[in-house]
Amino acid sequence: MGGFVFDLDEALVSGSETPFTTKVTRLTLTPRGVALLASCGYLPRISTEDILDKNKSDNVSKLLSVLQALWMFVQIISRLYGQLAITLLEVNTLAHIICALIIYALWWNKPKLINEPTKLRGDWVPPIAAYMFVSSQISGWRRVRPGILKKDWIDPEFSVLAFNPPSAQKAQLSAVAPCPSDAKPSLVASVSDATTKLSGLRRALSSTEVGSLTKRPLIAFNDSRVPLETIDSRLESSAELQTNRWALAAEAMTIYPAIASRLICRESIHERKVARWYEPAVEELVDDTIGNWATGNLLRAMSGFVMGMVVWSASMAYGGVHATAWHGYFPSRTEALLWRTSSICIAGSGFTWILINMLARTFPWFKAYWKQVETLRAHWTSLVGLGSLASLCGLAYILARIYLVVESFISLRKLPGSAFDTLEWTGLIPHL
């Protein structure tokens, strides 16, 4: 697994006397959590020698795998030049070779099979660990929208909390998080100046000048229309744990400029009085565990648009490689039609996703509409229509992927004569 973790049992012994959670003993940092830790100045320095010592792969094995993949690629190019038939199995293999070469290029220096993570220790751990915990979904509630099309999502604790800064911090916060009613949105020349002022504030504050977390004004803690329930029974009901957790998180928001700069100023009107409070940022910073497979939490910890571009561009490339066999040899016309349809379906799915996201980034009205669809707040006709279309497209994509693999093998039952010919020069080069 590797990565960076907070071992709460060890951290709380040296820091806080009372734990802020008992349901989780280890918190693993997400990529965004690591970035925040670096902004706070606590990212540990790990030498190259230590990383290589944990690595369980070497460049020789990677090079042999790449050369073997390239040899298959060279053979296919040579057969095309020699006007020899290429089987569908070779085309399917070529698509996977391209994906493998891209992975090797991106992961060449990535350590492999690191099992033990790097533990973060120090007196600074409890406040930052509590802040990351309350900001992440591991601390929150599972909300379920009733109806035929049920959709559940998880709201972290920060989604119902407001931060009340100490008096010494309010002036500096207005520089990085101005309120709507402020006549001058910024009291400093630049964000860097604001960071400098916040850094000075951290040194000036005493232990008694720490902000606090309370429930947000005019927001119901338990909306009867959207029931709240605990997620995996990990949300404690203990008032002592909750109080300590909120106090530690508020301490982190008070003394760390990188965290304070994430606050958003809000204003609520109640009984003709304006209540000013700060909304903490909701980010996926930690989880109880992060596996090798990209879960929903991990994807949300990164830029969704970047991740989507990578995934769906690869899907377009995968379908495009199979489409190169458009005029290849097929045992029957039906198999040729299904192969071409499957290639278009796979490549078209990636293009459609990219098109939708580009439209959302270009036209605000489309972005607002798509947001309503994602949160199931659009008109029921849109939900039924788009839901049915998405289900059909998803099923077609799965069937297309399966068919391309199956057809690659069953097409071997009937091949042209040139498929059995080999180029003489390929036998003169040693290979596996």
Side-chain angles (χ1 to χ4, degrees), residues 85-89 329 331 408 411-420:
I86 298 177
T87 64
L88 299 180
L89 182 59
Y329 180 84
S408 300
S411 63
L412 298 177
R413 74 185 188 275
K414 186 179 180 182
L415 297 173
S418 61
F420 299 95

Side-chain angles (χ1 to χ4, degrees), residues 123-135:
D123 295 338
W124 55 270
V125 167
I128 293 184
Y131 172 83
M132 291 187 176
F133 178 84
V134 179
S135 175

Side-chain angles (χ1 to χ4, degrees), residues 192-239:
S192 60
D193 294 337
T195 304
T196 302
K197 286 182 175 293
L198 287 171
S199 299
L201 173 68
R202 175 187 173 186
R203 293 189 296 267
L205 284 172
S206 65
S207 59
T208 59
E209 295 177 306
V210 176
S212 61
L213 281 171
T214 58
K215 297 176 185 179
R216 294 185 183 180
L218 303 180
I219 295 182
F221 188 75
N222 187 359
D223 191 345
S224 60
R225 295 171 299 174
V226 186
L228 297 177
E229 59 185 51
T230 58
I231 166 176
D232 300 334
S233 301
R234 288 183 290 191
L235 182 66
E236 304 93 350
S237 58
S238 172

Side-chain angles (χ1 to χ4, degrees), residues 224-262:
S224 60
R225 295 171 299 174
V226 186
L228 297 177
E229 59 185 51
T230 58
I231 166 176
D232 300 334
S233 301
R234 288 183 290 191
L235 182 66
E236 304 93 350
S237 58
S238 172
E240 182 181 10
L241 292 175
Q242 176 179 282
T243 301
N244 192 51
R245 180 165 62 245
W246 291 5
L248 288 172
E251 179 183 344
M253 286 185 281
T254 303
I255 65 178
Y256 291 107
I259 296 178
S261 62
R262 286 169 157 78

Side-chain angles (χ1 to χ4, degrees), residues 374-387:
E374 287 182 336
T375 57
L376 295 181
R377 294 173 181 172
H379 194 267
W380 70 270
T381 55
S382 297
L383 297 178
V384 172
L386 292 175

